[in-house]
Amino acid sequence: MQINIRAATNSEDAISDTIERCVQSQPTLNAFVRIDRDGALAAARAIDASGVSAAPLAGVPVSVKDILNVGGLPTTWGSRLMQDAAPAAADTIAVARLRKAGAIIIGKSTTTEFAHAMMGSSPLTGLTINPWNPKATCGGSSCGGGVSVAAGLVRLALTTDAGASTRLPAACTGVLGLKPTLGRIPHDLVPEGFANFIHLGLITRDVADMALALEAIAGPAPSDPHSLGLSRFDASEVVADAGNFAGRRIGLVMRAGNARISRAMAETIRGVAKTLEGYGASVTEIEWTMDNPEPTWRILQQSNWAARLGKIIDEVEDRIEPSLTEGVRVGLSYSGQDLQGALNTRTALFRHVQKLFDGFDFLLTPVMSREPLDALHKPLDPISIDGEVVGDMRREWTPYLNLFDLTGHPAISVPAGLSDSGVPLAFQLVAPWYEEARLLGAVAFHEQQHPWQLFDAQ
């Protein structure tokens, strides 16, 4: 993909250039539902009119996942059911905080329908393309978020992560994807705030942007009970020095209840472990002794889908994805005992991970058990690993991700090279609650010592 870039002399020029590149990329990548040319240029002119801004994200172009409200733009959720939605009356809290920090919202990025799937397409917007390899999925549900950052269209994507949706697309497109501690970034749009496991996330190309963005949007908000009492995140605490790994104890989890991990992925993760040992860390492989977390996650998430769409599923099922229809119908079948049992197991998973941190400073896992799936793989179809059919996509491909949505621990997807087919691979590093500064500092040190390859759009 060839995109022409001209020299920018001010924020308006820079954002105009960004918009042009985003527009040019649409036929090839399809990362955006809507590009807000007028709004973005108006924000850029305001920065220029105020002179040199001291705002930490002044002029930084951002994409926002199209399940999050941006004032003046419709929120369409990747669904034909929402294609005529009225413009949102106001920004969600995280978007408002990004604007206050000087960031410029370029547009709404693509998502799977109601953010329910891990692939890169929706009935409303079609297929979003992995810039590394169009035959491989870009991951979901924040598909446009990962692609917009990986292709260099924006520097930052605001996303969500309920089961994989930030870390997976970041991994599939070779960039960083952070799911902070539950409540670290307040989420004022979830209908149920207490048993919530839907996190807001961030995707960037480097740690510096990640830290600045987290500083801008983290902190308490009265509408999110998990955020109350938290202090604001301080990006200056992210220190990239050897102390972030020297003497650190790292627990390596190769499988989290899944049947298999591919030979290539296992080799990649063991290579990462050796790299971390070279930094002075000790890495100990540990056996995951609990069941696969995905069935617990599934009960909770399918119950959410049923609460949203259950009353109208009969009348809309011919206009939505079959995988979403099935999830809603299964969600309607659960009993109160099923739901309470899943909540109890979620607590047991949290306590188990908490206990692991008694002996380790970080946990190291794959992001996925094999390289990115085919772009057209259907969400309900089983997956194969090294030629063997292993079963359900979520249960066998990404249990490492929904696990930490359930437990709430901060986790980041970090690039780990390319597969033989030229698609990115990644590892996940996990820290105790509220230890984002330590987590990002460790990744920043790794970034300095072992820079990852970024997609070059030129």
Side-chain angles (χ1 to χ4, degrees):
M1 177 180 63
Q2 295 293 325
I3 296 176
N4 296 321
I5 301 176
R6 59 184 173 85
T9 59
N10 53 33
S11 293
E12 183 177 358
D13 278 351
I15 293 303
S16 178
D17 198 59
T18 294
I19 292 168
E20 184 60 29
R21 290 187 289 117
C22 291
V23 170
Q24 287 184 39
S25 76
Q26 273 300 100
T28 306
L29 299 178
N30 190 32
F32 289 91
V33 180
R34 181 170 285 99
I35 296 171
D36 185 19
R37 181 187 297 272
D38 292 343
L41 288 175
R45 291 187 196 107
I47 290 176
D48 290 337
S50 65
V52 178
S53 174
L57 296 177
V60 171
V62 176
S63 67
V64 177
K65 184 176 182 177
D66 194 32
I67 71 169
L68 299 173
N69 288 350
V70 172
L73 299 180
T75 304
T76 54
W77 291 81
S79 179
R80 289 174 292 195
L81 301 183
M82 303 293 290
Q83 63 186 352
D84 297 321
D91 294 334
T92 190
I93 289 172
V95 171
R97 289 178 177 178
L98 284 171
R99 291 195 200 272
K100 185 177 180 180
I104 296 178
I105 309 303
I106 297 299
K108 305 295 289 290
S109 58
T110 56
T111 176
T112 62
E113 188 167 31
F114 289 104
H116 87 286
M118 299 195 301
M119 304 303 286
S121 66
S122 81
L124 184 63
T125 57
L127 187 65
T128 297
I129 303 299
N130 190 327
W132 291 91
N133 184 341
K135 294 182 179 180
T137 184
C138 62
S141 62
S142 306
C143 39
V147 170
S148 64
V149 172
L153 302 173
V154 298
R155 280 174 51 186
L156 166 68
L158 179 65
T159 56
T160 64
D161 197 314
S165 295
T166 294
R167 291 158 293 159
L168 181 62
C172 291
T173 58
V175 287
L176 295 173
L178 175 68
K179 181 205 73 66
T181 307
L182 183 63
R184 172 68 85 176
I185 305 173
H187 197 349
D188 57 332
L189 297 178
V190 290
E192 196 290 304
F194 290 92
N196 173 51
F197 53 90
I198 304 170
H199 303 62
L200 293 188
L202 296 165
I203 297 177
T204 63
R205 290 161 72 94
D206 58 46
V207 176
D209 280 352
M210 184 73 74
L212 287 174
L214 186 60
E215 179 179 72
I217 63 177
S223 56
D224 184 346
H226 291 290
S227 77
L228 297 179
L230 295 183
S231 59
R232 300 299 293 262
F233 178 79
D234 186 351
S236 69
E237 295 179 3
V238 177
V239 180
D241 59 29
N244 282 304
F245 278 110
R248 295 293 190 188
R249 304 160 301 164
I250 300 176
L252 170 58
V253 179
M254 292 294 286
R255 291 190 296 161
N258 45 309
R260 291 195 61 168
I261 179 171
S262 73
R263 290 186 292 272
M265 187 60 70
E267 181 180 344
T268 295
I269 299 302
R270 295 195 191 283
V272 170
K274 288 186 180 297
T275 297
L276 302 186
E277 287 175 333
Y279 299 153
S282 62
V283 180
T284 304
E285 187 166 349
I286 55 179
E287 183 180 355
W288 180 254
T289 57
M290 296 195 72
D291 291 337
N292 189 312
E294 192 279 337
T296 296
W297 176 91
R298 185 175 296 236
I299 291 172
L300 297 174
Q301 187 64 299
Q302 288 178 328
S303 296
N304 282 340
W305 298 338
R308 178 185 295 276
L309 297 171
K311 292 181 179 180
I312 61 171
I313 192 63
D314 289 339
E315 62 185 270
V316 302
E317 66 175 314
D318 62 337
R319 290 186 283 153
I320 65 175
E321 293 272 23
S323 51
L324 180 56
T325 297
E326 176 171 307
V328 170
R329 292 200 182 282
V330 174
L332 289 169
S333 73
Y334 294 132
S335 67
Q337 188 173 10
D338 293 330
L339 184 58
Q340 188 60 52
L343 291 170
N344 293 349
T345 302
R346 180 186 180 187
T347 299
L349 288 165
F350 166 79
R351 290 171 178 164
H352 181 73
V353 173
Q354 286 288 92
K355 188 68 175 175
L356 291 178
F357 281 117
D358 287 346
F360 297 104
D361 300 298
F362 298 111
L363 299 179
L364 169 65
T365 82
V367 170
M368 43 195 164
S369 62
R370 51 152 290 169
E371 69 177 49
L373 296 167
D374 185 272
L376 300 180
H377 192 104
K378 295 181 180 179
L380 296 177
D381 287 351
I383 69 165
S384 297
I385 296 178
D386 292 337
E388 177 185 345
V389 177
V390 293
D392 180 82
M393 180 190 296
R394 285 191 184 272
R395 193 168 305 177
E396 296 299 330
W397 193 32
T398 60
Y400 316 96
L401 302 184
N402 56 58
L403 167 60
F404 298 109
D405 284 299
L406 293 175
T407 70
H409 292 83
I412 188 167
S413 170
V414 182
L418 300 178
S419 73
D420 291 341
S421 60
V423 292
L425 303 174
F427 67 91
Q428 177 175 236
L429 203 63
V430 186
W433 273 49
Y434 308 126
E435 291 286 355
E436 285 87 358
R438 183 203 301 180
L439 183 64
L440 291 179
V443 177
F445 178 75
H446 176 63
E447 180 182 36
Q448 290 178 357
Q449 302 298 313
H450 198 87
W452 45 83
Q453 180 181 352
L454 293 168
F455 179 77
D456 184 0
Q458 302 308 303

